[in-house]
Amino acid sequence: MSRRVSLPGASELFGGAAPKQTRPEKRTTTDGPPAASVRSRTAVVDDRKSSGRIRHDTKITVYVTEEELLGLEQTRLALRAEHGLTADRGRIVREAIDVLLADFVDHGPDSVLVRRLKASE
């Protein structure tokens, strides 16, 4: 007689169906760079907004320095004290990512992201 317990698999726990794959919408604007330069950056939607306070199904782990974590926490507290905004660290990070990606879509090689990555090489 085995003492081993039989546990359900992931498909039984999470409904059995894999999440439907979706593709981001393509950028459609009349102003801005020519279509050839935008095409390489269409993975980011032009009118995108941060996902905000919703349940998120995907996760990444990011390691930060103590100074970065302290800065993030100080920003969170300043948002509450000075602006009356309550946001957890995850929401602040999602907003920062959204702003950075939008800047990359709009400015490409002149974006803050490209300049900072080049400066750190």
Side-chain angles (χ1 to χ4, degrees):
M1 184 171 188
S2 174
R3 297 184 81 155
R4 185 172 241 178
V5 176
S6 177
L7 298 175
S11 61
E12 288 88 8
L13 289 173
F14 300 110
K20 184 178 178 183
Q21 295 285 332
T22 59
R23 293 176 51 134
E25 298 173 19
K26 289 191 176 182
R27 176 184 170 129
T28 57
T29 60
T30 55
D31 298 330
S37 66
V38 174
R39 188 169 295 135
S40 65
R41 293 179 259 132
T42 55
V44 181
V45 180
D46 184 37
D47 294 327
R48 61 183 275 132
K49 293 181 182 175
S50 172
S51 57
R53 294 180 54 97
I54 63 168
R55 185 179 194 295
H56 296 88
D57 296 328
T58 55
K59 177 181 176 179
I60 65 169
T61 300
V62 178
Y63 292 91
V64 297
T65 64
E66 288 183 31
E67 293 82 19
E68 291 166 336
L69 183 59
L70 183 59
L72 182 58
E73 193 62 27
Q74 288 174 335
T75 300
R76 185 184 70 78
L77 294 172
L79 284 169
R80 185 174 11 175
E82 299 169 19
H83 304 284
L85 298 171
T86 303
D88 60 26
R89 294 183 300 203
R91 176 133 186 241
I92 295 168
V93 169
R94 287 190 301 276
E95 291 289 343
I97 289 171
D98 188 56
V99 168
L100 193 64
L101 294 179
D103 179 63
F104 178 71
V105 167
D106 292 341
H107 300 103
D110 298 324
S111 67
V112 172
L113 178 62
V114 172
R115 289 194 316 254
R116 289 182 61 107
L117 291 174
K118 282 183 178 179
S120 68
E121 288 182 337

PDB file of all heavy atoms in Angstrom, residues 3-4 13-14 17-18 21 26 37 40 43 46 50 53 60 64-65 75 77 86 89-90 95 105 115 118-121:
ATOM      1  N   ARG A   3       1.905   5.159   0.215  1.00  0.00           N
ATOM      2  CA  ARG A   3       1.512   6.332   1.000  1.00  0.00           C
ATOM      3  C   ARG A   3       1.593   7.602   0.156  1.00  0.00           C
ATOM      4  O   ARG A   3       1.422   8.688   0.656  1.00  0.00           O
ATOM      5  CB  ARG A   3       2.424   6.449   2.204  1.00  0.00           C
ATOM      6  CG  ARG A   3       2.279   5.247   3.120  1.00  0.00           C
ATOM      7  CD  ARG A   3       3.096   5.451   4.322  1.00  0.00           C
ATOM      8  NE  ARG A   3       2.320   6.310   5.219  1.00  0.00           N
ATOM      9  CZ  ARG A   3       2.474   6.343   6.506  1.00  0.00           C
ATOM     10  NH1 ARG A   3       3.374   5.587   7.082  1.00  0.00           N
ATOM     11  NH2 ARG A   3       1.750   7.124   7.252  1.00  0.00           N
ATOM     12  N   ARG A   4       1.879   7.434  -1.105  1.00  0.00           N
ATOM     13  CA  ARG A   4       2.017   8.570  -2.001  1.00  0.00           C
ATOM     14  C   ARG A   4       0.641   9.159  -2.325  1.00  0.00           C
ATOM     15  O   ARG A   4      -0.283   8.446  -2.677  1.00  0.00           O
ATOM     16  CB  ARG A   4       2.701   8.123  -3.272  1.00  0.00           C
ATOM     17  CG  ARG A   4       2.984   9.254  -4.206  1.00  0.00           C
ATOM     18  CD  ARG A   4       3.813   8.779  -5.343  1.00  0.00           C
ATOM     19  NE  ARG A   4       5.056   9.525  -5.293  1.00  0.00           N
ATOM     20  CZ  ARG A   4       6.049   9.363  -6.098  1.00  0.00           C
ATOM     21  NH1 ARG A   4       6.024   8.411  -6.998  1.00  0.00           N
ATOM     22  NH2 ARG A   4       7.114  10.108  -6.017  1.00  0.00           N
ATOM     23  N   LEU A  13      -6.037  22.126 -12.330  1.00  0.00           N
ATOM     24  CA  LEU A  13      -6.114  23.262 -11.420  1.00  0.00           C
ATOM     25  C   LEU A  13      -6.518  24.553 -12.123  1.00  0.00           C
ATOM     26  O   LEU A  13      -7.227  25.379 -11.568  1.00  0.00           O
ATOM     27  CB  LEU A  13      -4.763  23.481 -10.721  1.00  0.00           C
ATOM     28  CG  LEU A  13      -4.371  22.437  -9.689  1.00  0.00           C
ATOM     29  CD1 LEU A  13      -2.954  22.693  -9.208  1.00  0.00           C
ATOM     30  CD2 LEU A  13      -5.335  22.470  -8.522  1.00  0.00           C
ATOM     31  N   PHE A  14      -6.037  24.740 -13.340  1.00  0.00           N
ATOM     32  CA  PHE A  14      -6.234  26.014 -14.015  1.00  0.00           C
ATOM     33  C   PHE A  14      -7.196  25.942 -15.184  1.00  0.00           C
ATOM     34  O   PHE A  14      -7.153  26.746 -16.083  1.00  0.00           O
ATOM     35  CB  PHE A  14      -4.889  26.568 -14.474  1.00  0.00           C
ATOM     36  CG  PHE A  14      -3.951  26.785 -13.330  1.00  0.00           C
ATOM     37  CD1 PHE A  14      -2.839  25.979 -13.171  1.00  0.00           C
ATOM     38  CD2 PHE A  14      -4.192  27.766 -12.385  1.00  0.00           C
ATOM     39  CE1 PHE A  14      -1.976  26.169 -12.115  1.00  0.00           C
ATOM     40  CE2 PHE A  14      -3.338  27.953 -11.329  1.00  0.00           C
ATOM     41  CZ  PHE A  14      -2.226  27.162 -11.184  1.00  0.00           C
ATOM     42  N   ALA A  17      -7.453  24.770 -20.274  1.00  0.00           N
ATOM     43  CA  ALA A  17      -7.207  25.442 -21.551  1.00  0.00           C
ATOM     44  C   ALA A  17      -6.104  26.472 -21.383  1.00  0.00           C
ATOM     45  O   ALA A  17      -6.085  27.228 -20.426  1.00  0.00           O
ATOM     46  CB  ALA A  17      -8.473  26.130 -22.033  1.00  0.00           C
ATOM     47  N   ALA A  18      -5.183  26.469 -22.320  1.00  0.00           N
ATOM     48  CA  ALA A  18      -4.110  27.463 -22.300  1.00  0.00           C
ATOM     49  C   ALA A  18      -4.702  28.819 -22.653  1.00  0.00           C
ATOM     50  O   ALA A  18      -5.667  28.912 -23.412  1.00  0.00           O
ATOM     51  CB  ALA A  18      -3.022  27.081 -23.302  1.00  0.00           C
ATOM     52  N   GLN A  21      -3.592  33.258 -27.178  1.00  0.00           N
ATOM     53  CA  GLN A  21      -2.523  34.166 -27.567  1.00  0.00           C
ATOM     54  C   GLN A  21      -3.124  35.356 -28.306  1.00  0.00           C
ATOM     55  O   GLN A  21      -3.931  35.186 -29.200  1.00  0.00           O
ATOM     56  CB  GLN A  21      -1.534  33.443 -28.499  1.00  0.00           C
ATOM     57  CG  GLN A  21      -0.797  32.310 -27.840  1.00  0.00           C
ATOM     58  CD  GLN A  21       0.283  32.801 -26.912  1.00  0.00           C
ATOM     59  OE1 GLN A  21       0.843  33.879 -27.101  1.00  0.00           O
ATOM     60  NE2 GLN A  21       0.593  32.029 -25.892  1.00  0.00           N
ATOM     61  N   LYS A  26      -1.578  47.082 -34.260  1.00  0.00           N
ATOM     62  CA  LYS A  26      -0.552  47.866 -34.941  1.00  0.00           C
ATOM     63  C   LYS A  26      -0.822  49.337 -34.738  1.00  0.00           C
ATOM     64  O   LYS A  26      -1.954  49.774 -34.617  1.00  0.00           O
ATOM     65  CB  LYS A  26      -0.531  47.539 -36.429  1.00  0.00           C
ATOM     66  CG  LYS A  26       0.012  46.157 -36.696  1.00  0.00           C
ATOM     67  CD  LYS A  26       0.266  45.971 -38.150  1.00  0.00           C
ATOM     68  CE  LYS A  26       0.892  44.604 -38.351  1.00  0.00           C
ATOM     69  NZ  LYS A  26       1.218  44.349 -39.734  1.00  0.00           N
ATOM     70  N   SER A  37       9.883  53.058 -40.348  1.00  0.00           N
ATOM     71  CA  SER A  37      10.562  53.124 -39.057  1.00  0.00           C
ATOM     72  C   SER A  37       9.652  52.673 -37.923  1.00  0.00           C
ATOM     73  O   SER A  37      10.112  52.205 -36.900  1.00  0.00           O
ATOM     74  CB  SER A  37      11.078  54.535 -38.793  1.00  0.00           C
ATOM     75  OG  SER A  37       9.992  55.419 -38.658  1.00  0.00           O
ATOM     76  N   SER A  40       9.172  48.460 -37.173  1.00  0.00           N
ATOM     77  CA  SER A  40      10.067  47.694 -36.305  1.00  0.00           C
ATOM     78  C   SER A  40       9.693  47.818 -34.832  1.00  0.00           C
ATOM     79  O   SER A  40      10.183  47.074 -34.010  1.00  0.00           O
ATOM     80  CB  SER A  40      11.516  48.145 -36.506  1.00  0.00           C
ATOM     81  OG  SER A  40      11.660  49.480 -36.074  1.00  0.00           O
ATOM     82  N   ALA A  43       5.383  46.328 -31.819  1.00  0.00           N
ATOM     83  CA  ALA A  43       5.034  45.433 -30.722  1.00  0.00           C
ATOM     84  C   ALA A  43       4.432  46.219 -29.564  1.00  0.00           C
ATOM     85  O   ALA A  43       3.786  45.674 -28.698  1.00  0.00           O
ATOM     86  CB  ALA A  43       6.259  44.656 -30.259  1.00  0.00           C
ATOM     87  N   ASP A  46       0.404  52.168 -29.646  1.00  0.00           N
ATOM     88  CA  ASP A  46       0.509  53.619 -29.495  1.00  0.00           C
ATOM     89  C   ASP A  46      -0.364  54.144 -28.368  1.00  0.00           C
ATOM     90  O   ASP A  46       0.073  54.931 -27.553  1.00  0.00           O
ATOM     91  CB  ASP A  46       0.125  54.290 -30.811  1.00  0.00           C
ATOM     92  CG  ASP A  46       0.297  55.790 -30.765  1.00  0.00           C
ATOM     93  OD1 ASP A  46       1.261  56.244 -30.132  1.00  0.00           O
ATOM     94  OD2 ASP A  46      -0.517  56.511 -31.370  1.00  0.00           O
ATOM     95  N   SER A  50      -1.220  51.743 -18.921  1.00  0.00           N
ATOM     96  CA  SER A  50      -0.815  50.749 -17.945  1.00  0.00           C
ATOM     97  C   SER A  50      -2.030  49.942 -17.520  1.00  0.00           C
ATOM     98  O   SER A  50      -3.148  50.442 -17.481  1.00  0.00           O
ATOM     99  CB  SER A  50      -0.200  51.438 -16.732  1.00  0.00           C
ATOM    100  OG  SER A  50       0.032  50.525 -15.703  1.00  0.00           O
ATOM    101  N   ARG A  53      -4.868  48.473 -11.775  1.00  0.00           N
ATOM    102  CA  ARG A  53      -5.286  47.566 -10.706  1.00  0.00           C
ATOM    103  C   ARG A  53      -6.196  46.473 -11.234  1.00  0.00           C
ATOM    104  O   ARG A  53      -7.407  46.510 -11.036  1.00  0.00           O
ATOM    105  CB  ARG A  53      -5.980  48.351  -9.608  1.00  0.00           C
ATOM    106  CG  ARG A  53      -5.078  49.312  -8.877  1.00  0.00           C
ATOM    107  CD  ARG A  53      -5.845  50.035  -7.803  1.00  0.00           C
ATOM    108  NE  ARG A  53      -6.513  49.132  -6.906  1.00  0.00           N
ATOM    109  CZ  ARG A  53      -6.052  48.737  -5.734  1.00  0.00           C
ATOM    110  NH1 ARG A  53      -4.890  49.162  -5.323  1.00  0.00           N
ATOM    111  NH2 ARG A  53      -6.742  47.917  -4.984  1.00  0.00           N
ATOM    112  N   ILE A  60       7.093  38.433 -13.984  1.00  0.00           N
ATOM    113  CA  ILE A  60       8.533  38.387 -14.171  1.00  0.00           C
ATOM    114  C   ILE A  60       9.178  38.728 -12.831  1.00  0.00           C
ATOM    115  O   ILE A  60       8.546  39.346 -11.974  1.00  0.00           O
ATOM    116  CB  ILE A  60       9.033  39.360 -15.265  1.00  0.00           C
ATOM    117  CG1 ILE A  60       8.778  40.823 -14.864  1.00  0.00           C
ATOM    118  CG2 ILE A  60       8.410  39.049 -16.606  1.00  0.00           C
ATOM    119  CD1 ILE A  60       9.468  41.818 -15.772  1.00  0.00           C
ATOM    120  N   VAL A  64      16.750  44.251  -8.148  1.00  0.00           N
ATOM    121  CA  VAL A  64      17.147  45.652  -8.091  1.00  0.00           C
ATOM    122  C   VAL A  64      18.138  45.848  -6.955  1.00  0.00           C
ATOM    123  O   VAL A  64      18.227  45.033  -6.039  1.00  0.00           O
ATOM    124  CB  VAL A  64      15.922  46.581  -7.885  1.00  0.00           C
ATOM    125  CG1 VAL A  64      14.969  46.494  -9.063  1.00  0.00           C
ATOM    126  CG2 VAL A  64      15.195  46.271  -6.601  1.00  0.00           C
ATOM    127  N   THR A  65      18.874  46.951  -7.028  1.00  0.00           N
ATOM    128  CA  THR A  65      19.802  47.278  -5.959  1.00  0.00           C
ATOM    129  C   THR A  65      19.020  47.827  -4.767  1.00  0.00           C
ATOM    130  O   THR A  65      17.841  48.184  -4.896  1.00  0.00           O
ATOM    131  CB  THR A  65      20.820  48.337  -6.417  1.00  0.00           C
ATOM    132  OG1 THR A  65      20.112  49.559  -6.707  1.00  0.00           O
ATOM    133  CG2 THR A  65      21.589  47.880  -7.649  1.00  0.00           C
ATOM    134  N   THR A  75       9.301  56.871  -3.592  1.00  0.00           N
ATOM    135  CA  THR A  75       8.359  57.384  -4.582  1.00  0.00           C
ATOM    136  C   THR A  75       6.933  56.996  -4.204  1.00  0.00           C
ATOM    137  O   THR A  75       6.010  57.816  -4.282  1.00  0.00           O
ATOM    138  CB  THR A  75       8.710  56.849  -5.988  1.00  0.00           C
ATOM    139  OG1 THR A  75      10.026  57.283  -6.323  1.00  0.00           O
ATOM    140  CG2 THR A  75       7.719  57.329  -7.027  1.00  0.00           C
ATOM    141  N   LEU A  77       5.748  56.400  -1.239  1.00  0.00           N
ATOM    142  CA  LEU A  77       5.326  57.197  -0.085  1.00  0.00           C
ATOM    143  C   LEU A  77       5.070  58.653  -0.468  1.00  0.00           C
ATOM    144  O   LEU A  77       4.130  59.281   0.030  1.00  0.00           O
ATOM    145  CB  LEU A  77       6.380  57.104   1.019  1.00  0.00           C
ATOM    146  CG  LEU A  77       6.544  55.718   1.649  1.00  0.00           C
ATOM    147  CD1 LEU A  77       7.730  55.688   2.594  1.00  0.00           C
ATOM    148  CD2 LEU A  77       5.270  55.284   2.339  1.00  0.00           C
ATOM    149  N   THR A  86      -2.612  56.341  -3.873  1.00  0.00           N
ATOM    150  CA  THR A  86      -2.171  55.083  -3.290  1.00  0.00           C
ATOM    151  C   THR A  86      -1.829  54.123  -4.413  1.00  0.00           C
ATOM    152  O   THR A  86      -2.676  53.814  -5.253  1.00  0.00           O
ATOM    153  CB  THR A  86      -3.273  54.475  -2.407  1.00  0.00           C
ATOM    154  OG1 THR A  86      -3.635  55.432  -1.409  1.00  0.00           O
ATOM    155  CG2 THR A  86      -2.798  53.200  -1.740  1.00  0.00           C
ATOM    156  N   ARG A  89       4.115  49.047  -5.219  1.00  0.00           N
ATOM    157  CA  ARG A  89       5.342  49.098  -6.015  1.00  0.00           C
ATOM    158  C   ARG A  89       5.143  48.503  -7.401  1.00  0.00           C
ATOM    159  O   ARG A  89       5.659  49.029  -8.389  1.00  0.00           O
ATOM    160  CB  ARG A  89       6.482  48.374  -5.286  1.00  0.00           C
ATOM    161  CG  ARG A  89       6.877  49.075  -4.009  1.00  0.00           C
ATOM    162  CD  ARG A  89       8.030  48.421  -3.327  1.00  0.00           C
ATOM    163  NE  ARG A  89       7.755  47.038  -2.972  1.00  0.00           N
ATOM    164  CZ  ARG A  89       8.376  46.373  -2.013  1.00  0.00           C
ATOM    165  NH1 ARG A  89       9.304  46.969  -1.305  1.00  0.00           N
ATOM    166  NH2 ARG A  89       8.074  45.128  -1.757  1.00  0.00           N
ATOM    167  N   GLY A  90       4.374  47.431  -7.497  1.00  0.00           N
ATOM    168  CA  GLY A  90       4.128  46.813  -8.794  1.00  0.00           C
ATOM    169  C   GLY A  90       3.431  47.757  -9.759  1.00  0.00           C
ATOM    170  O   GLY A  90       3.763  47.823 -10.944  1.00  0.00           O
ATOM    171  N   GLU A  95       3.540  51.356 -14.476  1.00  0.00           N
ATOM    172  CA  GLU A  95       3.383  52.689 -15.058  1.00  0.00           C
ATOM    173  C   GLU A  95       4.704  53.162 -15.666  1.00  0.00           C
ATOM    174  O   GLU A  95       4.718  53.730 -16.761  1.00  0.00           O
ATOM    175  CB  GLU A  95       2.915  53.691 -14.001  1.00  0.00           C
ATOM    176  CG  GLU A  95       1.494  53.477 -13.525  1.00  0.00           C
ATOM    177  CD  GLU A  95       0.450  53.834 -14.583  1.00  0.00           C
ATOM    178  OE1 GLU A  95       0.763  54.541 -15.562  1.00  0.00           O
ATOM    179  OE2 GLU A  95      -0.695  53.389 -14.419  1.00  0.00           O
ATOM    180  N   VAL A 105       8.424  54.032 -28.584  1.00  0.00           N
ATOM    181  CA  VAL A 105       7.604  54.001 -29.803  1.00  0.00           C
ATOM    182  C   VAL A 105       7.628  55.369 -30.483  1.00  0.00           C
ATOM    183  O   VAL A 105       7.771  55.466 -31.696  1.00  0.00           O
ATOM    184  CB  VAL A 105       6.158  53.575 -29.492  1.00  0.00           C
ATOM    185  CG1 VAL A 105       5.235  53.843 -30.668  1.00  0.00           C
ATOM    186  CG2 VAL A 105       6.115  52.107 -29.123  1.00  0.00           C
ATOM    187  N   ARG A 115      18.985  55.937 -25.266  1.00  0.00           N
ATOM    188  CA  ARG A 115      20.091  56.784 -24.769  1.00  0.00           C
ATOM    189  C   ARG A 115      20.708  56.187 -23.513  1.00  0.00           C
ATOM    190  O   ARG A 115      21.926  56.142 -23.363  1.00  0.00           O
ATOM    191  CB  ARG A 115      19.593  58.203 -24.503  1.00  0.00           C
ATOM    192  CG  ARG A 115      19.291  58.974 -25.778  1.00  0.00           C
ATOM    193  CD  ARG A 115      19.135  60.466 -25.512  1.00  0.00           C
ATOM    194  NE  ARG A 115      18.344  60.767 -24.341  1.00  0.00           N
ATOM    195  CZ  ARG A 115      17.099  61.240 -24.381  1.00  0.00           C
ATOM    196  NH1 ARG A 115      16.502  61.430 -25.530  1.00  0.00           N
ATOM    197  NH2 ARG A 115      16.448  61.502 -23.270  1.00  0.00           N
ATOM    198  N   LYS A 118      22.654  52.915 -24.299  1.00  0.00           N
ATOM    199  CA  LYS A 118      23.922  53.229 -24.966  1.00  0.00           C
ATOM    200  C   LYS A 118      24.931  53.806 -23.983  1.00  0.00           C
ATOM    201  O   LYS A 118      26.118  53.499 -24.058  1.00  0.00           O
ATOM    202  CB  LYS A 118      23.689  54.219 -26.108  1.00  0.00           C
ATOM    203  CG  LYS A 118      23.121  53.580 -27.349  1.00  0.00           C
ATOM    204  CD  LYS A 118      22.995  54.602 -28.466  1.00  0.00           C
ATOM    205  CE  LYS A 118      22.472  53.963 -29.734  1.00  0.00           C
ATOM    206  NZ  LYS A 118      22.323  54.955 -30.820  1.00  0.00           N
ATOM    207  N   ALA A 119      24.463  54.630 -23.062  1.00  0.00           N
ATOM    208  CA  ALA A 119      25.357  55.261 -22.078  1.00  0.00           C
ATOM    209  C   ALA A 119      25.936  54.222 -21.109  1.00  0.00           C
ATOM    210  O   ALA A 119      27.029  54.414 -20.586  1.00  0.00           O
ATOM    211  CB  ALA A 119      24.610  56.334 -21.299  1.00  0.00           C
ATOM    212  N   SER A 120      25.215  53.127 -20.885  1.00  0.00           N
ATOM    213  CA  SER A 120      25.698  52.127 -19.923  1.00  0.00           C
ATOM    214  C   SER A 120      26.586  51.066 -20.559  1.00  0.00           C
ATOM    215  O   SER A 120      27.073  50.182 -19.866  1.00  0.00           O
ATOM    216  CB  SER A 120      24.507  51.448 -19.238  1.00  0.00           C
ATOM    217  OG  SER A 120      23.791  50.655 -20.168  1.00  0.00           O
ATOM    218  N   GLU A 121      26.799  51.151 -21.878  1.00  0.00           N
ATOM    219  CA  GLU A 121      27.674  50.165 -22.550  1.00  0.00           C
ATOM    220  C   GLU A 121      29.112  50.394 -22.200  1.00  0.00           C
ATOM    221  O   GLU A 121      29.612  51.409 -21.976  1.00  0.00           O
ATOM    222  CB  GLU A 121      27.493  50.227 -24.064  1.00  0.00           C
ATOM    223  CG  GLU A 121      26.167  49.660 -24.503  1.00  0.00           C
ATOM    224  CD  GLU A 121      26.016  49.672 -26.013  1.00  0.00           C
ATOM    225  OE1 GLU A 121      26.687  50.458 -26.689  1.00  0.00           O
ATOM    226  OE2 GLU A 121      25.202  48.892 -26.505  1.00  0.00           O
TER     227      GLU A 121
END
